[in-house]
Amino acid sequence: MSDSSRVFVFDANAVQTKHGRRRFLANLAMAAGAIALAPMIERGAGIGDVLRAQASGETEPNLTDNDILNYALTLEYLEATFYLRADSGGTLPTGATIAALDPDGNATPGIVAGLAGMTFPAPSTQSIPTFFRAVRDHEITHVLTLQNALGGFALSRSNFKFNFGTAFASASNFMNTAMALEDTGVSAYLGQVANLESLSILSTLVTIQAVEAEHAAAVGVALGQPVIAGDVPFDTAKTTTQVLTIANGFITQAPTLPFPK
């Protein structure tokens, strides 16, 4: 029997560890006939590298699960602050306060010029400001979830400062910045799923990544960039260095991070 025709049997116990998940993906690639991908998966290449089959030679630092959670928390602090400064009105998720979420900005300016009254393209009638307030609450909840998971190991929000420049000056600036942040968040989570040891943490981050992907898709529709037939079938993962290169455009102060800045 050739490798491309072998029968693949799923074993739930095989994905309980990082090495087990890599072996699982490698076996899956072999079963599907993707012989060239299997060694790359087995030695721990990022998922995005696997799907693109590009061995760039760039490697990730040796991150612990807490490092990865704090990496995710850094991005969620960034996103939650961005949306909170765009719209600080209404009730926040239980346990959230502006003082804790945005100590360096006090959730100002609070208004995005030109956004009020905008709706998604027909036939939808959903208010774009209402949508972004829901996104705000999602990002705040992500922050609270990651802080809870990390406990005393969580990076403090008070050690960060953010500046979004002219992002709130117009609806166009705001929505394009939102698109950049959401796309970056999706690719950041995708870049770390193979590096986690804990299956429960993996489950948490994957569920967050799925919501971030929904945000990105909805913002794309609002900007007139819906999914089309010519779009690629796989998303692109980014390394910590690539993600933080983008994020650092908004981060003016950060604690010493356990990954490249």
Side-chain angles (χ1 to χ4, degrees):
M1 180 182 296
S2 68
D3 283 324
S4 62
S5 61
R6 67 171 60 179
V7 175
F8 178 74
V9 178
F10 175 73
D11 179 1
N13 293 323
V15 294
Q16 298 301 309
T17 66
K18 177 167 63 177
H19 178 73
R21 287 191 290 279
R22 287 175 177 168
R23 173 69 69 178
F24 168 77
L25 291 170
N27 288 339
L28 183 60
M30 293 291 284
I35 308 303
L37 295 184
M40 194 190 314
I41 302 172
E42 178 59 19
R43 68 172 179 261
I47 295 297
D49 290 329
V50 171
L51 296 178
R52 296 192 305 275
Q54 295 175 346
S56 65
E58 180 178 305
T59 58
E60 285 279 50
N62 186 23
L63 303 181
T64 67
D65 281 5
N66 278 348
D67 292 337
I68 293 172
L69 285 175
N70 267 316
Y71 168 62
L73 181 59
T74 297
L75 299 177
E76 295 297 343
Y77 278 153
L78 174 63
E79 291 183 311
T81 303
F82 173 70
Y83 291 114
L84 188 60
R85 290 187 188 178
D87 186 349
S88 57
T91 303
L92 298 180
T94 301
T97 65
I98 290 177
L101 289 163
D102 189 20
D104 62 302
N106 196 30
T108 56
I111 296 175
V112 178
L115 199 66
M118 292 183 63
T119 60
F120 280 86
S124 174
T125 59
Q126 183 182 12
S127 160
I128 285 180
T130 298
F131 162 74
F132 277 118
R133 182 172 286 187
V135 172
R136 176 203 71 179
D137 290 352
H138 291 169
E139 307 298 4
I140 291 172
T141 302
H142 293 167
V143 165
L144 298 175
T145 299
L146 292 170
Q147 287 176 329
N148 183 64
L150 281 158
F153 295 102
L155 293 174
S156 173
R157 172 63 181 85
S158 63
N159 290 328
F160 289 88
K161 290 185 179 180
F162 300 112
N163 188 315
F164 298 100
T166 61
F168 304 113
S170 69
S172 176
N173 285 8
F174 172 74
M175 293 176 68
N176 279 290
T177 302
M179 184 83 262
L181 291 177
E182 296 296 342
D183 270 347
T184 300
V186 171
S187 57
Y189 280 106
L190 186 60
Q192 294 303 318
V193 292
N195 297 326
L196 287 161
E197 295 284 358
S198 167
L199 194 61
S200 62
I201 293 175
L202 173 64
S203 176
T204 298
L205 293 194
V206 167
T207 56
I208 292 176
Q209 190 266 353
V211 173
E212 300 289 352
E214 291 175 357
H215 295 169
V219 176
V221 170
L223 286 169
Q225 303 169 7
V227 174
I228 60 174
D231 286 347
V232 295
F234 299 114
D235 207 343
T236 302
K238 285 186 173 67
T239 65
T240 54
T241 300
Q242 291 170 324
V243 168
L244 291 171
T245 296
I246 297 170
N248 280 342
F250 306 105
I251 301 174
T252 59
Q253 177 181 305
T256 300
L257 303 177
F259 37 79
K261 295 177 65 176

